[in-house]
Amino acid sequence: MRHPRRQSLQVAQQKRIRYTAKKDPRRMAKRSLVTGLILLAVPILLFVVATFFVPFEPTAMNPSDRFLAPNSINWFGTDNYGRDIFVRTMAGLPLTVLIAGGTVLIGGLGGLFLGGLAGYYGRRVDYFISRFNDALLSIPAILTGMLFVAVFGNGIWQVTIALGLMFIPSFARVVRSGFQEHRHRDYVKRLRLLGSSGWRIMTLHLFPQIRSRLLSAIAIGFANAILAESSLSFLGLGVPPSSISWGRMLKDAQGFLFQAPWYALFPGVLIVLLVLGAFFIGNGLKRIER
Amino acid sequence: MAAYLLRKLRDTIFTLLLVSVIVFIIFALIPGNPARIIAGVNATPEKVAFIEAELGLDQPLPIRFINYLGGLLTGNPGQSLRFNVPVTDLIVDAAPITLGLAFYAFFMVILLAIPLGLIASRRPGGVVDTVIHVVTETTLAIPPFFMAIVLMLLFRVTQADVGGSLSSGEILTFGDHLKMLTLPALAIALSRLAMVVEFLRDALVEESHTDYVRTAKGKGASRMRIRMVHVLRNCLVPTITALGLILAEIIGGSIIIEQVFLLPGLGRLLFTAVEARDFPLVQTIIMLIAVLVVLVNFVVDLLNQFIDPRLRVVQSHSRRHRKYQPTVAAAKKKGNS
């Protein structure tokens, strides 16, 4: 029989482990993913409703209906020109998704290339690429956005490219650490001995290893891209004035903050929903990978 | 330690050089002739040529880069095209507000994150931990400017209350600063809190299972004492690292938040400069901020070394290891032959 005191210590230890150990990681991951999908489903559903079932036009002005509070006809109320905020907000969704998607695409491809080189070849290549990443990271994304707008003018492409470049380091970091982990493994050494080129090893053998990690980085990058784009548009430096963007709506709404708080709140809440949804999905994917 | 310092210094200088190259290249990419853009549509060719010479645009690229770098290093990066005064004068007037705001927000992050991390790590996976995690994650998803708008609505504060009446270069007392900048700083701090809390919490949870904690417990130290004196100190390194990582975002955040509250800081200046296509001004402000971020990260690294001697040991070990590797390989070769 075990010593009683020792047994109690073991029980205590088990108890502590029960307190500390995270719950089943797969279940946590699933929960995170489902939460994210639900959060993303809300804007998408609202978008479908707004485009197909609500009779208002996003640009239709109606001076007699200025600053209506949210009601059964204008669900999110109306703005200073009497435009329906619900329809306007939803009309801004595709552009937001497009810019964030483009940003992630540029950042992801750039990051894959640079991070891959740094992680696979290491040494001097790694050193120079890492310093380059440090340099990019030291300029706040919003400033690069402003820089590009200053140089190339307002526009959807300028914003997407500027943000895409700024997102390279974050992807490069993920790819680099993944490649570094694998490059000294036996199977990679064997491939090298068999005469596989670096390119072949990277694309066919190393890339699949980091695919899931990259997916989670993409989800989180998507969220951050939405944040960055809305910040730029909020400053009036993002998308051109003719297109509808949530950041720009918030900028316009700021002048009527106390007169019509709903004008600012709804676009803002939608940004948060979308970003939070992408965050949850990113975290869920990260947990699955572990 | 000295070797480490030198290596770090070299890296930092190299990074700074790269930053200046990147910023320079973007400006060199200006489509068309920037002198023409600045001069306006109806400018005579003479005027364009004059502006070109003024900006040094008639010189080849490498010379332009050296001039530009020289200007930055000697503290004379040029004239503002819009305001027609030296760029540095404008920046000196505007910088205190932005830096004050960023510093205040930074301080607030520390003030909020440490208690939150301590509370969350008391019972990992418990209700309090989960609530703190969800709340900080949510605040991370709220863009700083929307956070500011929500705070303005909550506290019934208007733009005029904060910075509306302020003009650039005004001298403010510390009290004024505190009163004016609290809400803006809170908006920035709240939206950047999550990462620091998470790093600190994870470190605290991990550290509380180490042997020295058990020993301290065995010696009868109180839980409070163990956490505040022993564990927290060892968790400073990841926390400081996280703080360094969010610094760029905090400065970026200040620039946006200034626009929300109409504060006449660097953000406003940069905004005006971008609108007016005042290239020297834009270039200098961006360089200034990037240099600041790089330098602070350098300090963060040194600070970590200073706080946690273990990092130093690991560093020197890995270096020695690397140094010895070729010798070991050579010895093996010798043995084989």
Side-chain angles (χ1 to χ4, degrees), chain B residues 15-201:
Chain B
T15 307
L16 284 175
L17 199 69
L18 271 177
V19 170
S20 57
V21 172
I22 293 171
V23 173
F24 177 77
I25 286 178
I26 293 178
F27 275 94
L29 285 176
I30 298 174
N33 187 345
R36 190 166 292 273
I37 298 171
I38 292 159
V41 191
N42 299 322
T44 55
E46 288 81 37
K47 194 176 177 200
V48 173
F50 175 73
I51 292 176
E52 233 172 40
E54 184 101 307
L55 293 173
L57 291 176
D58 45 357
Q59 316 241 353
L61 269 185
I63 301 215
R64 272 167 63 190
F65 179 67
I66 289 166
N67 285 340
Y68 151 75
L69 208 60
L72 281 178
L73 289 176
T74 53
N76 181 24
Q79 288 269 329
S80 159
L81 301 172
R82 166 113 199 282
F83 301 99
N84 235 343
V85 288
V87 165
T88 35
D89 289 3
L90 292 167
I91 291 176
V92 166
D93 277 350
I97 289 189
T98 306
L99 298 185
L101 181 57
F103 182 75
Y104 195 4
F106 205 60
F107 184 66
M108 245 183 219
V109 169
I110 298 173
L111 222 59
L112 288 170
I114 292 181
L116 280 176
L118 280 169
I119 296 169
S121 67
R122 274 182 71 104
R123 194 174 274 188
V127 180
V128 180
D129 186 25
T130 315
V131 168
I132 288 179
H133 179 72
V134 169
V135 169
T136 51
E137 189 87 336
T138 310
T139 56
L140 192 66
I142 303 177
F145 60 89
F146 185 55
M147 184 75 88
I149 286 177
V150 172
L151 286 177
M152 282 165 97
L153 278 173
L154 273 179
F155 292 106
R156 312 300 281 168
V157 170
T158 58
Q159 289 178 325
D161 294 338
V162 180
S165 54
L166 215 64
S167 63
S168 181
E170 216 170 296
I171 307 294
L172 292 166
T173 62
F174 186 69
D176 282 345
H177 262 290
L178 220 57
K179 214 161 61 191
M180 233 171 44
L181 298 181
T182 301
L183 210 56
L186 189 65
I188 303 168
L190 280 179
S191 49
R192 290 294 146 223
L193 195 61
M195 193 173 172
V196 184
V197 174
E198 204 187 298
F199 270 48
L200 179 61
R201 179 227 170 248

Side-chain angles (χ1 to χ4, degrees), chain A residues 16 19 127 150-151 235 283, chain B residues 11 124 137 159 209 271 277:
Chain A
R16 209 168 90 182
Y19 282 145
Y127 181 79
V151 172
L235 292 177
N283 286 341
Chain B
D11 290 359
E137 189 87 336
Q159 289 178 325
H209 294 297
F271 184 74
R277 316 206 77 186

Side-chain angles (χ1 to χ4, degrees), chain A:
Chain A
M1 208 190 106
R2 281 210 193 108
H3 194 278
R5 202 160 146 197
R6 191 165 207 174
Q7 206 173 358
S8 72
L9 191 76
Q10 262 176 352
V11 170
Q13 271 174 346
Q14 271 168 5
K15 241 187 190 165
R16 209 168 90 182
I17 286 165
R18 204 177 302 147
Y19 282 145
T20 53
K22 290 204 177 101
K23 288 159 199 160
D24 179 19
R26 283 204 85 84
R27 240 182 72 196
M28 293 279 285
K30 223 179 195 171
R31 197 194 285 169
S32 194
L33 279 178
V34 170
T35 317
L37 285 176
I38 292 172
L39 285 173
L40 286 187
V42 174
I44 293 170
L45 272 179
L46 288 177
F47 175 72
V48 172
V49 171
T51 20
F52 297 111
F53 301 104
V54 178
F56 300 110
E57 284 292 312
T59 49
M61 299 187 198
N62 193 353
S64 60
D65 288 345
R66 298 175 68 213
F67 297 128
L68 289 181
N71 54 53
S72 57
I73 303 162
N74 302 105
W75 292 352
F76 288 3
T78 57
D79 66 5
N80 50 327
Y81 294 111
R83 295 175 295 197
D84 183 70
I85 292 172
F86 176 58
V87 173
R88 273 183 79 72
T89 310
M90 287 309 144
L93 182 73
L95 188 64
T96 306
V97 172
L98 190 77
I99 292 179
T103 302
V104 168
L105 190 72
I106 296 173
L109 287 177
L112 202 58
F113 181 69
L114 286 181
L117 287 182
Y120 182 71
Y121 290 107
R123 289 166 187 275
R124 213 151 274 175
V125 182
D126 182 25
Y127 181 79
F128 281 106
I129 291 177
S130 294
R131 291 292 83 72
F132 177 73
N133 282 343
D134 283 352
L136 278 184
L137 278 176
S138 65
I139 313 174
I142 189 84
L143 287 190
T144 329
M146 290 174 99
L147 193 69
F148 263 70
V149 172
V151 172
F152 300 107
N154 259 32
I156 295 169
W157 284 113
Q158 287 88 324
V159 172
T160 313
I161 292 172
L163 292 180
L165 287 179
M166 283 327 275
F167 276 63
I168 289 177
S170 59
F171 287 105
R173 202 167 355 178
V174 174
V175 178
R176 172 175 171 263
S177 69
F179 275 26
Q180 256 177 352
E181 229 168 79
H182 284 272
R183 75 176 235 242
H184 291 305
R185 298 263 172 101
D186 286 342
Y187 76 94
V188 178
K189 282 183 189 158
R190 198 163 303 168
L191 282 165
R192 224 175 283 157
L193 283 177
L194 283 171
S196 300
S197 63
W199 172 253
R200 189 183 163 85
I201 295 175
M202 281 193 264
T203 50
L204 278 174
H205 302 282
L206 292 180
F207 175 67
Q209 303 284 354
I210 58 151
R211 208 155 33 192
S212 59
R213 246 182 270 191
L214 203 61
L215 274 179
S216 106
I218 284 173
I220 289 170
F222 187 79
N224 285 326
I226 294 173
L227 286 176
E229 184 272 327
S230 62
S231 302
L232 266 182
S233 298
F234 179 77
L235 292 177
L237 297 172
V239 298
S242 54
S243 40
I244 303 169
S245 150
W246 294 341
R248 188 168 279 279
M249 286 181 79
L250 276 163
K251 177 190 163 74
D252 297 339
Q254 226 203 332
F256 317 103
L257 205 51
F258 294 96
Q259 204 173 353
W262 54 86
Y263 189 4
L265 283 178
F266 286 110
V269 167
L270 269 158
I271 296 177
V272 177
L273 275 181
L274 215 58
V275 172
L276 204 58
F279 270 151
F280 268 107
I281 288 181
N283 286 341
L285 288 170
K286 212 189 273 175
R287 286 219 178 95
I288 280 185
E289 202 255 331
R290 266 185 210 148

